Amino acid sequence: MTPSPAFLRLGASALVLSLLTACGGTAASSNATPSSNSSQAAETSAAPELRGERAVVDRVIDGDTVDVRLGGEVVRVRLLNIDTPETKDPNEVVECLGPEATALLEDLLPPGTVVGLEYDQERTDSYGRTLAGVFLQDGTLVNAEIARQGLGTPLYIAPNDRFLPPVEEAFAEAEQQQAGLLDPAHGCTIPARVQQATTALADAAPANLDDATGEVAAAVAFLAALDAVDGDAHPHVRHLVGLPSLEGGIAGVRGDITALQERAAAQRRAAEAEAARQAEAEEEQRREAEAEAARQAEAARQAEAARQAEAVRQAEVARQTEAARQAAVDAANRAAAPAPAPAPAPAPKPAPNPGANIVDQAPPGYSAEIPGYTGPRCYAPGGKFYKPC
């Protein structure tokens, strides 16, 4: 499952905090005492022999840890095969119903209570605490009583499993009665959170995923918190989410969230496809507009070229018309002009006058012959030389 944007903004640490933090109110079983049958038996018969090594309660540390006086010293005892929500670890938050589990153990083991300690294969844990089953004078196994009230879950850390069967049996009763951590009436419990998430997702729309403060975002954050929990650090949470009574509800929440996210993804894809379609349509319109503008520009260019060609043609026609007109005028003028007068016949040469004084040299301006001249001639005395006249 892909976390929503709202979950990504919260962060894994905050989600685990929201899952594990203790809620307000007091568990219905927080003031519970050992089973009534055991109490009545203790009142009506002689106290049974104390089981195990005798010790005296000094103080309760948390829901599954107690200090006892044993052999003249205070010994810290970690109850075997039971795990309750954290309250005292400085590196952890106070977990859901953790204070109620502590209150239950304080009711069961007030200071001065005589208890019996029985051990398993390993006597101490990595923190140096003594590992034991703790019995009351009436034979009540405190480890199992915590589980019966639903304020702790069975825990097996190899090789110690001596008290695991009675703890599991007691926890099965709590599960049947929906007690403590299994009570959906307590808002911080996993059953309550499953119910809240299921209700929020029933009519949810994909848009609800974007509301970081809404119930749908809280459902997504809850499921992400379950997935982010370190089962080794929080074994009671690991045990709870693995219960058949809760697995179906958690799976339903996961399926609803997945379906909602798939619908949101489908809507996003549809919106993206529509946006792409619109963008393509706008691009097509732009291309068509550009093509139309280019067609209009080409038509305008061709029209201008045609106009200029027509202007040149008309100018040529006008020139030719004017040339023809001028030619006609010239022809008419030539036709109307008088014919030139014929050249005068050359004057007859005078008869030789033997007695005349013949001048052998041409006077100035006269010539004996002018090549190509056919016009009138004026002769000098003697008739040998002439000039045009």
Side-chain angles (χ1 to χ4, degrees), residues 19-210:
L19 175 66
L20 300 177
T21 302
C23 62
T26 303
S29 58
S30 63
N31 294 321
T33 57
S35 63
S36 58
N37 291 337
S38 298
S39 299
Q40 292 174 357
E43 293 175 357
T44 59
S45 63
E49 182 180 355
L50 182 68
R51 292 183 55 172
E53 186 176 13
R54 185 180 186 280
V56 178
V57 174
D58 183 67
R59 64 178 181 132
V60 168
I61 302 303
D62 59 19
D64 52 30
T65 308
V66 61
D67 284 351
V68 301
R69 293 190 175 276
L70 181 65
E73 62 180 9
V74 175
V75 176
R76 181 152 295 181
V77 176
R78 172 65 167 84
L79 277 65
L80 273 171
N81 301 128
I82 185 73
D83 182 62
T84 63
E86 184 61 59
T87 60
K88 297 295 176 66
D89 190 334
N91 298 318
E92 298 289 347
V93 298
V94 175
E95 296 176 344
C96 175
L97 297 188
E100 286 80 355
T102 301
L104 171 63
L105 193 57
E106 289 173 341
D107 287 342
L108 291 170
L109 302 177
T113 301
V114 176
V115 296
L117 306 181
E118 290 190 355
Y119 311 105
D120 204 343
Q121 297 182 53
E122 289 188 355
R123 290 283 298 265
T124 59
D125 64 9
S126 60
Y127 300 101
R129 299 176 298 187
T130 295
L131 303 175
V134 178
F135 290 89
L136 297 178
Q137 185 70 46
D138 63 3
T140 297
L141 175 60
V142 175
N143 310 46
E145 190 62 27
I146 296 170
R148 183 173 290 106
Q149 303 302 323
L151 294 176
T153 60
L155 174 66
Y156 169 62
I157 299 179
N160 293 342
D161 62 356
R162 178 178 177 182
F163 305 103
L164 187 60
V167 169
E168 289 180 333
E169 182 179 350
F171 186 77
E173 295 180 24
E175 185 177 3
Q176 184 177 9
Q177 298 298 321
Q178 295 186 330
L181 293 167
L182 299 162
D183 187 354
H186 290 285
C188 67
T189 65
I190 293 178
R193 300 292 293 275
V194 169
Q195 285 188 1
Q196 294 164 9
T198 301
T199 300
L201 293 167
D203 299 316
N208 297 135
L209 290 169
D210 297 327

Side-chain angles (χ1 to χ4, degrees), residues 52 68 98 130 155 167 195 198 216 237 263 267 282 302 342 346 389:
V68 301
T130 295
L155 174 66
V167 169
Q195 285 188 1
T198 301
V216 171
V237 176
R263 287 168 56 197
Q267 289 184 357
E282 291 173 358
Q302 292 179 359
C389 61

